[in-house]
Amino acid sequence: MRLTAITERLAGLGGGKWEVHLKARQMSAAGADLVEMTIGEPDVPTPPELVEAAAQSMHAGRTGYSDGRGEAHLRAALAEAYSISRGREFGPENILCFPGTQTALYAVLQGVAEPGTEVLAGDPMYATYEGVIRASGADMVPVPLRPEAGFRMQASDIAARITPRSRAILLTTPHNPTGAILTPQDLREIGELALRHDLWIISDEVYEHLVFEGAEFTSPLSDPALADRVIAVSSISKSHAAPGFRSGWCAGPEAFCSALLPVSETMLFGNQPFIADMTEKAVREGSSVAPGMATRFAARASLLEQRLHAETGLRVHRPEAGMFALIDISATGMDGDAYAWDLLDSGVAVMPGSAFGASLTDWVRVALTIDDDSFATALDRIAAHANRISRSVA
């Protein structure tokens, strides 16, 4: 069987990271009493008004081919929203629409990276980043996100890893899995590096609307000095509880979007018009569900920290946004993989930190998206499990 180099570059990047999650699903299907905290999805359904908008659009005949850039009215709505939120002018020519953030990120990386180049990405990182970087042919250069820096990417750590092959810095703000948000000062320093070394900045901003009270989101798109080198990707998957609709986009320089259009069109030639109509409504009217999700996720993160710090030797990194929290399990004497498998036997499924990078080998990630009763049950079991380990070690 003859296969291409891309299949070799991506070999081994998928299944192993999800073994605990897949085992948990098997156990749940077999009737096990198990609380799953592995995968994060919105804890509410897609708002009915958005579902109805998509349905009405289909009934109105909006089921034909789409504009390859994305429907004009949706790009206009996104341009208006970015102009307001980023404080500088965007037009429809600065937008390309894709089926979800993942597809947008894949296409963008095809436009900025290639074999023989490097992309710098924070470690830990979202589980698919290594794959989308390798798919371009580029090498991924991990930049450690240190707990003592709040898991925020530091310009000094990037600078130490820049080489003549470097082409782009991949940011995630707010970050998955840590929930950290880059500060304006962080972004200024990273931007100066990008200017000095002629690097692209790609900013995954899908959690922008799930920022917790007291925290503040800033986008590198807001800096006029970086206007020609920042590309942001996002979607309505998280903000509007609509992951199944696969509606995302990239926002960046007009010249880049025009150059990337043929790449986009060879992949998918636009997204569905009826989904574009629904997305325009979502963008223009804002989210009816994001504020509630942010409040609930923040409350669960606070409860997780309070209980585990009071009752166990485990330590929680408090997120500033998003759907997840990290637990430092080094006090158990286990690494994150061994801990996750052991905890599974106690009725709670969590993701080993190693699924997100080498820097999280002593951590696990937990989803904040399960209902309050299940969350309380999980906390009881995590605390009891930690105390059993503590007694056995003593």
Side-chain angles (χ1 to χ4, degrees):
M1 182 170 62
R2 295 182 178 180
L3 299 174
T4 62
I6 190 172
T7 62
E8 296 177 4
R9 292 197 298 268
L10 302 185
L13 289 181
K17 296 180 178 181
W18 305 100
E19 286 182 355
V20 175
H21 169 69
L22 295 174
K23 179 62 174 178
R25 286 288 164 95
Q26 292 175 2
M27 292 170 64
S28 293
D33 178 15
L34 189 65
V35 181
E36 293 186 32
M37 306 178 81
T38 48
I39 302 298
E41 289 199 38
D43 65 347
V44 292
T46 305
E49 63 270 20
L50 296 186
V51 176
E52 182 60 26
Q56 288 181 2
S57 183
M58 283 189 282
H59 287 305
R62 293 276 289 151
T63 56
Y65 283 115
S66 173
D67 185 323
R69 287 182 174 269
E71 295 295 276
H73 56 87
L74 171 56
R75 289 187 293 114
L78 286 164
E80 291 172 20
Y82 274 99
S83 296
I84 294 169
S85 64
R86 304 309 188 247
R88 64 181 183 86
E89 192 66 28
F90 287 79
E93 66 276 6
N94 297 115
I95 308 292
L96 286 177
C97 296
F98 296 92
T101 309
Q102 182 70 22
T103 311
L105 183 58
Y106 181 95
V108 167
L109 281 162
Q110 293 295 318
V112 305
E114 60 188 344
T117 65
E118 297 173 340
V119 176
L120 298 107
D123 178 356
M125 68 190 71
Y126 179 56
T128 69
Y129 281 3
E130 185 176 2
V132 291
I133 292 170
R134 283 199 195 177
S136 73
D139 293 325
M140 184 187 73
V141 178
V143 178
L145 307 181
R146 294 177 283 107
E148 60 269 26
F151 287 109
R152 303 190 327 273
M153 187 180 282
Q154 301 296 291
S156 58
D157 293 324
I158 300 172
R161 291 160 178 82
I162 292 175
T163 75
R165 298 171 59 206
S166 302
R167 290 296 179 272
I169 303 167
L170 175 55
L171 305 178
T172 316
T173 184
H175 191 264
N176 176 13
T178 69
I181 300 175
L182 293 173
T183 67
Q185 181 64 26
D186 295 333
L187 293 172
R188 277 192 295 273
E189 293 175 0
I190 292 170
E192 289 169 2
L193 274 182
L195 289 167
R196 190 178 315 138
H197 296 278
D198 191 21
L199 303 178
W200 288 99
I201 294 175
I202 305 168
S203 185
D204 182 344
E205 300 175 350
V206 74
Y207 288 103
E208 170 185 354
H209 297 288
L210 294 180
V211 173
F212 301 164
E213 185 177 358
E216 186 173 347
F217 166 77
T218 302
S219 169
L221 279 176
S222 296
D223 187 346
L226 301 176
D228 292 334
R229 63 182 63 248
V230 175
I231 308 149
V233 295
S234 195
S235 74
I236 61 169
S237 294
K238 304 300 192 295
S239 60
H240 292 76
F245 282 90
R246 311 310 304 141
S247 186
W249 56 84
C250 75
E254 178 183 358
F256 174 81
C257 290
S258 296
L260 192 66
L261 179 60
V263 178
S264 171
E265 289 181 333
T266 60
M267 293 169 58
L268 43 92
F269 206 87
N271 54 359
Q272 298 86 344
F274 61 92
I275 293 179
D277 294 344
M278 181 198 81
T279 305
E280 180 192 7
K281 179 180 178 67
V283 171
R284 291 194 183 280
E285 297 183 3
S287 176
S288 62
V289 294
M293 284 193 289
T295 297
R296 290 190 298 277
F297 301 160
R300 291 169 191 152
S302 179
L303 180 62
L304 178 75
E305 181 181 45
Q306 291 170 9
R307 286 206 52 189
L308 295 190
H309 287 198
E311 300 174 28
T312 77
L314 306 179
R315 288 296 173 262
V316 175
H317 170 71
R318 176 80 74 90
E320 296 178 286
M323 297 180 165
F324 307 100
L326 295 178
I327 304 175
D328 179 353
I329 52 83
S330 56
T332 66
M334 299 180 177
D335 64 22
D337 290 80
Y339 175 88
W341 283 109
D342 200 60
L343 182 63
L344 190 61
D345 292 333
S346 294
V348 181
V350 300
M351 285 292 288
S354 62
F356 307 99
S359 64
L360 284 188
T361 54
D362 292 332
W363 298 73
V364 295
R365 188 193 76 171
V366 299
L368 303 170
T369 54
I370 60 176
D371 65 84
D372 289 337
D373 289 343
S374 298
F375 196 80
T377 298
L379 290 185
D380 290 340
R381 294 176 180 179
I382 292 171
H385 173 262
N387 289 324
R388 281 198 302 274
I389 293 173
S390 178
R391 287 194 297 270
S392 68
V393 171

